[in-house]
C-alpha cells in the first residue's frame, strides 16, 4: 500500500509519500515541505488568506516533487483517454471553483502524467486555519476524483503526537535524498511505545496534555486557556522586533544566557493550579510591561536575557504540569510533540525530568516536530494497521477548523 498525504493546515504546504512494507514496516519515500515563512514574516504571524493563496500556488509543484522523489511520476502515453473524462472535468471544475489558480494548473498536470501507483490519499481536515485547510481538502478530493482513490481525513494534532512513532532521537531522521527513494528504501518499523502515555503537544496553535491508554484513544487532561505556547513565543518576538516565527529566534538568543545569574523574573502562570490547564497571556503581558520600562539601548542589551527568562518560564510550567500528570495517571511514557518540541531546552528539560522518574521519553526528530506531511502519512498508515478504518468516501469530507482529538 502506498499513501499520499497532504498537509495545509497553517503556513507549510507539505506532501509526503509513505510505502507500507510487507512485514509491518514502512518507508517514507518523500516528505516535501514548502514554507511560507517569508510571506508571513512582515505581519509577525500567519495571515489566513495569504496562506490560502500560497497553498494554491504551491500544492502542485510540491506534489510533483513528492511524486518525482518517490519515483512515481510517469508521463502519460500519447493515446491516453480518461474514462468519463467530460463528466469528471465538470465535477473537478465545481470542486475547485474556489481554487481557480489550482484548477488551471491541475488539468494540464492530470493530462500530462499517469495516475501514480498510490492506494490511498490522506489529508489534514482540522484543526487549523479554515481557508488553508479547505485548499488541501479540495485538492485531495480533486485528486481522488481524477485517480479513483479513497481519501482519509486526518486530525493535525493527532498527527503531531503520532510523529513520535517515527524514529528515536538521534536516529536517521532525514527523508531520502533525491532519487534515492524506492531504490534504497529506509524501511523502519513503528517504534514500540509503552502505554499509558502522557503526551504534551506544544505548537503555534495548540498546547494540550493528553492521556493515551491505547493507540488512537485520547483524553484531553488540560489545555491552554488563551495563547498556545508557540503563539506566545511568536508574540514575544514581535514585541522585540525579532522576526517570525519567533520560537527559534527567541531560543537562539536565549542560548548565551544563564537565567540563574540574572535579575529579570517573569511569572510562571498557573504553575500551581490544581488542573492541567495552561495560560501564557499573563507571561506575555509581564514581558510587555517590562519591555515598556526600558530605553532603546537597555532593550537592545537585555533582549537575550528577556528571551531566556521567557523561555525558562514557559518551560517550567510545561514540564512541571506534564510530570505531575504523568505521575497522577501512572504513565509509562511521556511524549513531546508539535513545533515548540524542536526547542532544545524543552527537549532536554523534559528528558531529564522523565529520566529522574524512570519514565520512557520520546520526542520526534526536529524536522518532524514542525508541520510536515510525513506525520499525516504515518498516522494514516498506523490507523489502517491498528484500527481498520472503513474506506472513506471523499464526497463527505468536511473541514473542521476547531476539531479536537477524542
Ligand atoms: O507545529 P507547528 O509547525 O505549527 C502549528 O501547528 O502551529 O508549530 C509552529 C510553532 C511556531 O509558533 C514557532 O514559533 C514554534 O512552533 N517553534 C518554536 C521553536 N521552533 C518552532 N518555539 C520555541 N522554540 C523553538 N525552537
Ligand atoms: Zn502543527
Amino acid at each position: 500500500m502506498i499513501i499520499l498525504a497532504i498537509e495545509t493546515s497553517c503556513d507549510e504546504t507539505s506532501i509526503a509519500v509513505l510505502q507500507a512494507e510487507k512485514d509491518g514496516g514502512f518507508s517514507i519515500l518523500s516528505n516535501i515541505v514548502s514554507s511560507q515563512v517569508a510571506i508571513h514574516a512582515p505581519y509577525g504571524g500567519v495571515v489566513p488568506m495569504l496562506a490560502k493563496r500560497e497553498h494554491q500556488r504551491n500544492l502542485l509543484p510540491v506534489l510533483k516533487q513528492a511524486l518525482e522523489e518517490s519515483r512515481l511520476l510517469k508521463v502519460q502515453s500519447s493515446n491516453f483517454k480518461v474514462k468519463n473524462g467530460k463528466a469528471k472535468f465538470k465535477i473537478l471544475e465545481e470542486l475547485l471553483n474556489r481554487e481557480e489558480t489550482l484548477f488551471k494548473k491541475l488539468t494540464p498536470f492530470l493530462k500530462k502524467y499517469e495516475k501514480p501507483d498510490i492506494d490511498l490519499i490522506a489529508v489534514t481536515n482540522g484543526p487549523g486555519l479554515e481557508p488553508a485547510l479547505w485548499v488541501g481538502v479540495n485538492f485531495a478530493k480533486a485528486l481522488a476524483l481524477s485517480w479513483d482513490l479513497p481519501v482519509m481525513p486526518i486530525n493535525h494534532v493527532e498527527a503531531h503526537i503520532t510523529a513520535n512513532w517515527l524514529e528515536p532521537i538521534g536516529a536517521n531522521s532525514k527523508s531520502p535524498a533525491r532519487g534515492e527513494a524506492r531504490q534504497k528504501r529506509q524501511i523502519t518499523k513503528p517504534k514500540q511505545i509503552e502505554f499509558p502515555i502522557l503526551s504534551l503537544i506544544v505548537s503555534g496553535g495548540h498546547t494540550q496534555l493528553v492521556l493515551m491508554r491505547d493507540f488512537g484513544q485520547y483524553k484531553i487532561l488540560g489545555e491552554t486557556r488563551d495563547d498556545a505556547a508557540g503563539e506566545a513565543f511568536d508574540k514575544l518576538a514581535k514585541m522585540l522586533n525579532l522576526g517570525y516565527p519567533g520560537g527559534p529566534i527567541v531560543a537562539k538568543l536565549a542560548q548565551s544566557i544563564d537565567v540563574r545569574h540574572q535579575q529579570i523574573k517573569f511569572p510562571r502562570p498557573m504553575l500551581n493550579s490544581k488542573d492541567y490547564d495552561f495560560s501564557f497571556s499573563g507571561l506575555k503581558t509581564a514581558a510587555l510591561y517590562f519591555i515598556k520600562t526600558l530605553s532603546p539601548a537597555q532593550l537592545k542589551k537585555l533582549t537575550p536575557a528577556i528571551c531566556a527568562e521567557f523561555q525558562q518560564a514557559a518551560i517550567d510550567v510545561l514540564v512541571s504540569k506534564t510530570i505531575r500528570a504523568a505521575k497522577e495517571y501512572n504513565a509509562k511514557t511521556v511524549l513531546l510533540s508539535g513545533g515548540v518540541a524542536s526547542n532544545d531546552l524543552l527537549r532536554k528539560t523534559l528528558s531529564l525530568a522523565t529520566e529522574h522518574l524512570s519514565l520512557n521519553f520520546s520526542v520526534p526528530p526536529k524536522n518532524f516536530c514542525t508541520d510536515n506531511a510525513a506525520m499525516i502519512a504515518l498516522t494514516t498508515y498506523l490507523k489502517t494497521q491498528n484500527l481498520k478504518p472503513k474506506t472513506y468516501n471523499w464526497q463527505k469530507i468536511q473541514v473542521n477548523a476547531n476539531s479536537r482529538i477524542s
Side-chain angles (χ1 to χ4, degrees):
M1 180 177 66
I2 299 186
I3 299 166
L4 177 94
I6 303 167
E7 157 64 43
T8 64
S9 68
C10 193
D11 60 347
E12 320 280 6
T13 313
S14 182
I15 296 188
V17 179
L18 180 150
Q19 174 156 2
E21 307 288 346
K22 284 197 189 81
D23 59 351
F26 63 90
S27 38
I28 294 183
L29 302 183
S30 60
N31 179 36
I32 310 299
V33 183
S34 166
S35 177
Q36 304 174 6
V37 161
I39 308 276
H40 301 286
Y43 304 93
V46 182
V47 183
M49 292 317 280
L50 284 183
K52 175 188 158 113
R53 188 194 72 190
E54 290 306 301
H55 288 311
Q56 287 177 337
R57 280 187 188 159
N58 296 339
L59 268 169
L60 211 53
V62 170
L63 172 70
K64 192 165 170 247
Q65 199 184 338
L67 292 175
E68 241 166 15
E69 279 198 16
S70 310
R71 302 219 158 177
L72 292 170
L73 195 68
K74 288 191 195 94
V75 175
Q76 204 81 255
S77 59
S78 55
N79 54 2
F80 162 80
K81 250 199 155 4
V82 185
K83 245 204 260 164
N84 301 326
K86 272 199 176 148
K88 272 190 180 172
F89 185 83
K90 190 99 197 79
I91 308 173
L92 202 64
E93 196 174 12
E94 277 164 28
L95 249 180
L96 295 179
N97 76 343
R98 292 185 176 201
E99 333 289 354
E100 208 189 325
T101 341
L102 200 52
F103 178 69
K104 278 191 191 139
K105 287 195 206 157
L106 184 61
T107 33
F109 177 88
L110 291 169
K111 277 185 194 148
K112 184 167 177 191
Y113 297 104
E114 268 180 28
K115 172 187 171 177
D117 186 13
I118 282 166
D119 304 281
L120 176 62
I121 297 174
V123 65
T124 307
N125 73 327
L129 303 171
E130 183 153 352
L133 286 163
W134 269 119
V135 187
V137 167
N138 283 333
F139 187 61
K141 288 183 177 189
L143 294 181
L145 169 79
S146 312
W147 294 336
D148 286 321
L149 290 172
V151 182
M152 192 186 285
I154 295 292
N155 181 292
H156 182 81
V157 171
E158 181 175 22
H160 269 306
I161 299 174
T162 309
N164 272 290
W165 272 261
L166 269 164
E167 274 181 9
I169 308 174
N172 192 349
S173 59
K174 290 204 181 84
S175 64
R178 275 183 92 85
E180 193 184 296
R182 288 205 109 189
Q183 268 179 336
K184 286 191 218 162
R185 294 203 297 270
Q186 290 176 0
I187 302 171
T188 31
K189 292 230 165 138
K191 220 166 112 180
Q192 290 295 318
I193 300 183
E194 250 186 303
F195 291 93
I197 291 171
L198 207 284
S199 185
L200 172 66
I201 306 108
V202 271
S203 74
H206 300 91
T207 303
Q208 285 182 332
L209 266 177
V210 175
L211 177 68
M212 289 176 74
R213 294 204 185 276
D214 204 346
F215 188 80
Q217 288 182 14
Y218 306 100
K219 184 176 180 219
I220 300 174
L221 302 178
E223 59 196 316
T224 183
R225 294 186 182 176
D226 39 59
D227 295 342
E231 191 181 358
F233 275 96
D234 294 339
K235 286 181 175 170
L236 176 74
K238 197 173 177 180
M239 291 183 311
L240 294 168
N241 272 320
L242 296 175
Y244 173 83
I249 311 171
V250 169
K252 190 150 194 274
L253 282 167
Q255 263 173 5
S256 59
I257 303 289
D258 184 342
V259 280
R260 289 167 307 177
H261 299 134
Q262 55 128 1
Q263 302 297 312
I264 305 168
K265 286 282 170 264
F266 292 146
R268 271 69 177 149
M270 297 185 73
L271 180 68
N272 297 313
S273 70
K274 299 254 175 303
D275 53 29
Y276 293 114
D277 282 349
F278 301 94
S279 165
F280 293 102
S281 76
L283 174 59
K284 176 192 69 191
T285 311
L288 179 67
Y289 285 160
F290 179 70
I291 291 167
K292 279 187 173 167
T293 64
L294 304 174
S295 68
Q298 284 172 319
L299 180 61
K300 193 166 176 226
K301 186 165 166 248
L302 289 177
T303 291
I306 294 169
C307 290
E309 173 59 11
F310 188 96
Q311 172 177 258
Q312 190 64 57
I315 290 174
D316 282 352
V317 182
L318 290 168
V319 171
S320 156
K321 290 213 157 175
T322 305
I323 293 297
R324 184 153 60 77
K327 281 188 195 159
E328 183 180 336
Y329 289 91
N330 293 317
K332 292 236 166 65
T333 307
V334 170
L335 302 184
L336 176 62
S337 63
V340 184
S342 41
N343 183 287
D344 284 320
L345 188 65
L346 177 59
R347 292 165 87 92
K348 195 169 128 205
T349 314
L350 196 53
S351 168
L352 286 175
T354 48
E355 198 183 311
H356 196 65
L357 295 172
S358 303
L359 295 171
N360 304 311
F361 173 68
S362 165
V363 57
K366 287 185 187 178
N367 57 330
F368 291 125
C369 286
T370 43
D371 289 348
N372 66 88
M375 69 185 192
I376 307 298
L378 180 68
T379 310
T380 313
Y381 168 69
L382 292 176
K383 275 177 179 271
T384 57
Q385 298 285 299
N386 292 346
L387 301 175
K388 308 248 176 299
K390 49 191 176 305
T391 300
Y392 282 88
N393 180 354
W394 59 261
Q395 274 99 342
K396 294 198 182 123
I397 297 174
Q398 293 288 323
V399 157
N400 184 352
N402 301 310
S403 66
R404 291 163 71 77
I405 46 171
S406 58

